[in-house]
Coordinates of all heavy atoms in Angstrom, one line a residue:
L184 N 110.3 86.9 86.2 CA 110.8 85.7 86.9 C 110.2 84.5 86.4 O 110.5 83.4 86.8 CB 110.6 85.9 88.4 CG 111.4 86.9 89.1 CD1 110.9 87.0 90.6 CD2 112.9 86.7 89.0
G185 N 109.2 84.6 85.4 CA 108.6 83.4 84.9 C 107.3 83.0 85.5 O 106.7 81.9 85.2
Y186 N 106.8 83.8 86.5 CA 105.5 83.4 87.2 C 104.3 83.7 86.3 O 104.3 84.8 85.7 CB 105.4 84.1 88.5 CG 106.5 83.5 89.5 CD1 107.6 84.3 89.8 CD2 106.3 82.3 90.1 CE1 108.6 83.8 90.7 CE2 107.3 81.8 90.9 CZ 108.4 82.5 91.3 OH 109.4 82.0 92.1
Y187 N 103.3 82.8 86.4 CA 102.1 83.1 85.7 C 101.1 83.8 86.6 O 101.3 83.8 87.8 CB 101.4 81.7 85.3 CG 102.1 81.0 84.1 CD1 103.4 80.4 84.3 CD2 101.6 81.0 82.9 CE1 104.0 79.8 83.3 CE2 102.2 80.4 81.8 CZ 103.4 79.8 82.0 OH 104.1 79.2 81.0
I188 N 100.1 84.5 86.0 CA 99.3 85.4 86.8 C 97.8 85.0 86.5 O 97.3 85.0 85.4 CB 99.4 86.9 86.4 CG1 100.9 87.3 86.5 CG2 98.5 87.8 87.2 CD1 101.5 87.4 87.9
A189 N 97.1 84.5 87.6 CA 95.7 84.1 87.4 C 94.8 85.2 87.9 O 95.0 85.7 89.0 CB 95.5 82.8 88.2
I190 N 93.8 85.5 87.1 CA 92.9 86.6 87.4 C 91.5 86.0 87.4 O 91.1 85.1 86.6 CB 93.0 87.6 86.2 CG1 94.4 88.2 86.1 CG2 91.9 88.7 86.5 CD1 94.8 89.3 87.1
G191 N 90.7 86.5 88.3 CA 89.3 85.9 88.5 C 88.2 87.0 88.4 O 88.4 88.0 87.8
G192 N 87.1 86.7 89.1 CA 85.9 87.5 89.0 C 86.0 88.9 89.3 O 85.2 89.7 88.8
A193 N 87.0 89.3 90.1 CA 87.2 90.7 90.5 C 87.3 91.6 89.2 O 87.0 92.8 89.3 CB 88.3 90.9 91.4
L194 N 87.9 91.0 88.2 CA 88.1 91.8 86.9 C 86.7 92.3 86.4 O 86.7 93.3 85.7 CB 88.7 90.8 85.9 CG 89.0 91.4 84.5 CD1 90.1 92.5 84.6 CD2 89.4 90.4 83.5
T195 N 85.6 91.6 86.7 CA 84.3 92.0 86.1 C 83.6 93.1 87.0 O 82.6 93.6 86.6 CB 83.4 90.8 86.0 OG1 83.1 90.3 87.3 CG2 84.0 89.7 85.2
F196 N 84.2 93.4 88.2 CA 83.6 94.3 89.1 C 83.7 95.8 88.6 O 84.7 96.1 87.8 CB 84.2 94.2 90.5 CG 84.0 92.9 91.2 CD1 84.6 92.7 92.4 CD2 83.2 91.9 90.7 CE1 84.5 91.4 93.1 CE2 83.0 90.7 91.3 CZ 83.7 90.5 92.5
K197 N 82.8 96.6 89.0 CA 82.8 98.0 88.6 C 84.1 98.7 88.9 O 84.6 99.5 88.1 CB 81.6 98.7 89.2 CG 80.5 99.0 88.3 CD 79.7 100.2 88.7 CE 78.6 100.5 87.7 NZ 77.3 100.0 88.2
N198 N 84.6 98.4 90.1 CA 85.8 99.2 90.6 C 87.1 98.4 90.3 O 88.1 98.4 91.1 CB 85.7 99.4 92.1 CG 85.5 98.1 92.9 OD1 85.3 97.1 92.3 ND2 85.6 98.2 94.2
A199 N 87.2 97.7 89.2 CA 88.3 96.8 88.9 C 89.5 97.5 88.2 O 90.2 96.8 87.5 CB 87.8 95.6 88.1
R200 N 89.7 98.8 88.5 CA 90.7 99.5 87.7 C 92.1 98.8 87.7 O 92.7 98.7 86.7 CB 90.8 100.9 88.3 CG 91.6 101.9 87.4 CD 91.6 103.3 88.0 NE 92.1 103.3 89.4 CZ 93.3 103.5 89.8 NH1 94.3 103.6 88.9 NH2 93.7 103.5 91.0
H201 N 92.5 98.3 88.9 CA 93.8 97.7 89.0 C 93.9 96.4 88.1 O 94.8 96.2 87.3 CB 94.2 97.3 90.4 CG 94.9 98.5 91.1 ND1 96.0 99.0 90.7 CD2 94.5 99.1 92.2 CE1 96.4 100.0 91.5 NE2 95.4 100.1 92.4

Side-chain angles (χ1 to χ4, degrees):
L184 292 175
Y186 291 105
Y187 288 72
I188 305 291
I190 303 277
L194 179 68
T195 65
F196 298 172
K197 255 205 178 105
N198 56 352
R200 192 174 56 90
H201 274 300

